[in-house]
């Protein structure tokens, strides 16, 4: 597990160094209030350290969490199904005409609707997260739009060697109380990852790390 995470980091670093060069400066207004190192709940922190990039320095000795398998892929969705848990993430095209775009130096997008955002920061997004559906034991867990409104250009799956794969996961805590919906968006300018935390059938928070492997 740890070897695979190390391999992924090296791979993303190679992509970053090979394809990205930023000659022009533009400010980064994205907040660090939700990053891994700000997690205060010990159990949540330990769990997320076992699979996230942001927590890799604390991952030593952490056992891997059980995962819910992917049940279906599509051009605009990914679904997970198992252990009486169903999770689906759907995307849609970004419509710039419905948003206020804030540019720096007239060419670098730094705010959408007066707020900083994640996903190819500095560029106009192409896709949005339209909805996140979570059903546990037949009960719907509401994931509010505020939990994903600023996350753009998600990569739900990709093909490698003719096989459909995904960097995203749904994981279960060992005590059975928490579900973690994890999404990774790798990009040359600095990747971002988000973990939505669900506890006892209630959404409680998200953890967002960004700018790594730049």
């Amino acid at each position: 597990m740890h070897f695979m995470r190390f391999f992924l980091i090296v791979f993303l670093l190679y992509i970053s160094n090979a394809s990205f060069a930023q000659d022009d400066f533009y400010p980064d207004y994205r907040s660090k209030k939700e990053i891994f190192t700000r997690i205060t709940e010990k159990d949540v922190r330990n769990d997320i350290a076992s699979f996230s990039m942001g927590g890799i320095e604390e991952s030593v000795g952490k056992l891997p969490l059980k995962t819910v398998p992917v049940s279906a892929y599509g051009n605009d969705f990914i679904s997970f199904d198992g252990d009486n848990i169903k999770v689906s993430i759907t995307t849609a095209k970004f419509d710039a005409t419905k948003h206020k775009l804030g540019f720096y130096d007239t060419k670098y997008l730094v705010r959408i609707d007066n707020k900083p955002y994640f996903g190819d920061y500095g560029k106009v997004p192409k896709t949005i997260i339209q909805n996140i559906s979570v059903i546990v034991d037949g009960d719907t867990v509401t994931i509010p739009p505020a939990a994903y409104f600023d996350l753009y250009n998600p990569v739900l799956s990709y093909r490698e060697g003719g096989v459909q794969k995904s960097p995203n996961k749904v994981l279960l805590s060992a005590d059975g109380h928490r579900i973690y919906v994890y999404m990774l968006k790798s990009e040359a300018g600095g990747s971002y990852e988000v973990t939505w935390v669900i506890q006892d059938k209630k959404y409680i928070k998200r953890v967002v790390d960004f700018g790594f492997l730049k």
Side-chain angles (χ1 to χ4, degrees), residues 66-85:
K66 182 178 180 180
T67 59
V68 177
V70 174
S71 58
Y73 296 103
N75 292 331
D76 59 357
F77 77 92
I78 185 171
S79 297
F80 303 81
D81 192 347
D83 292 288
N84 293 319
I85 297 169

Side-chain angles (χ1 to χ4, degrees), residues 7-9 16 37 40 50 85 104 117 130 137 156 173 182 208 213:
F7 176 80
L8 180 59
I9 288 175
S16 175
T37 55
T40 57
S50 72
I85 297 169
Y104 175 81
Y117 65 96
Q130 186 176 51
D137 297 327
L156 301 183
S173 65
Y182 174 79
V208 183
L213 303 177

Side-chain angles (χ1 to χ4, degrees), residues 188-206:
S191 305
Y192 80 84
E193 64 180 356
V194 56
T195 302
W196 293 281
V197 183
I198 298 162
Q199 182 167 309
D200 298 326
K201 299 184 180 182
K202 293 182 179 180
Y203 168 74
I204 61 171
K205 68 187 300 180
R206 72 176 190 176

